[in-house]
Amino acid sequence: MTAAQADLARARQDFAELPPVPRLECPEVADGAAIWRIARDSKTLDLNSSYSYLLWCRDFAGTSLVARGADGEPVGFITGYVRPERPGTLVVWQVAVDETHRGRGLAAALLEGLTSRVAAERGVTALETTITPGNTASERLFTSYAERHGAGVTREVLFDAALFPDGGHDPEVLYRIGPLGD
């Protein structure tokens, strides 16, 4: 066996041992608690009430996704909505992946899955999200998404830190991505 053949055999073995890719599905109300826990444990996202995640799973399931692990439980999620004033724009509200599933491209798969589905169903041609300065993981996720789709990115402060009544909140920078290509 040559060195190349040995490398190929090792790669095939490594690939066979990879865990199954999580399934991407619309969330159900029962997923709200798990989504809340993933958001809480991210230590990056603004945590909303558990009630709001239950409502989100009920009212915005069509513009959101969960990634289900081998046991069927959520291991990641992305939530969004179509802007009423701009029906061609999908706003991504939150994206998070459970710590045990990070570093495998799951956040990108959730973003790709959601945007492709909503674009096909609702004709969305632009994406918006807000990112706080210093959240490099989100900055990379959304700028690389734009690059893959040949879309431009503009940035501007949407909500200045002074607008947040609880203090200590960084500004939220609006990323506009579009027009979206393939």
Side-chain angles (χ1 to χ4, degrees):
M1 178 181 285
T2 67
Q5 291 169 325
D7 286 345
L8 179 59
R10 245 187 328 277
R12 285 185 176 149
Q13 180 62 33
D14 290 346
F15 183 76
E17 293 172 4
L18 286 174
V21 175
R23 294 185 328 269
L24 304 183
E25 301 176 347
C26 289
E28 299 172 0
V29 171
D31 296 324
I35 290 172
W36 177 86
R37 279 191 294 279
I38 294 167
R40 178 197 64 198
D41 295 348
S42 76
K43 296 180 177 52
T44 303
L45 296 177
D46 285 339
L47 184 63
N48 298 283
S49 71
S50 56
Y51 176 71
S52 70
Y53 290 95
L54 294 170
L55 280 175
W56 202 275
C57 290
R58 185 192 75 168
D59 294 342
F60 297 102
T63 52
S64 301
L65 287 176
V66 293
R68 295 191 188 282
D71 63 358
E73 289 299 309
V75 296
F77 72 91
I78 184 168
T79 54
Y81 62 92
V82 174
R83 282 190 64 189
E85 303 83 19
R86 289 186 177 180
T89 300
L90 172 67
V91 176
V92 173
W93 178 47
Q94 290 187 320
V95 182
V97 175
D98 182 83
E99 187 174 19
T100 61
H101 287 77
R102 290 183 194 151
R104 302 178 191 175
L106 187 51
L110 283 160
L111 182 58
E112 291 289 345
L114 179 63
T115 56
S116 65
R117 191 185 81 222
V118 175
E121 292 174 358
R122 301 186 186 202
V124 165
T125 59
L127 174 68
E128 291 183 352
T129 195
T130 62
I131 303 172
T132 55
N135 185 342
T136 55
S138 287
E139 290 169 354
R140 283 189 207 131
L141 174 65
F142 286 96
T143 57
S144 64
Y145 172 86
E147 288 172 14
R148 285 192 306 277
H149 290 270
V153 180
T154 61
R155 298 165 188 85
E156 66 181 83
V157 174
L158 180 64
F159 300 123
D160 187 73
L163 291 173
F164 293 93
D166 49 354
H169 195 291
D170 289 331
E172 290 285 347
V173 178
L174 176 66
Y175 282 59
R176 284 194 177 108
I177 300 171
L180 299 177
D182 294 332

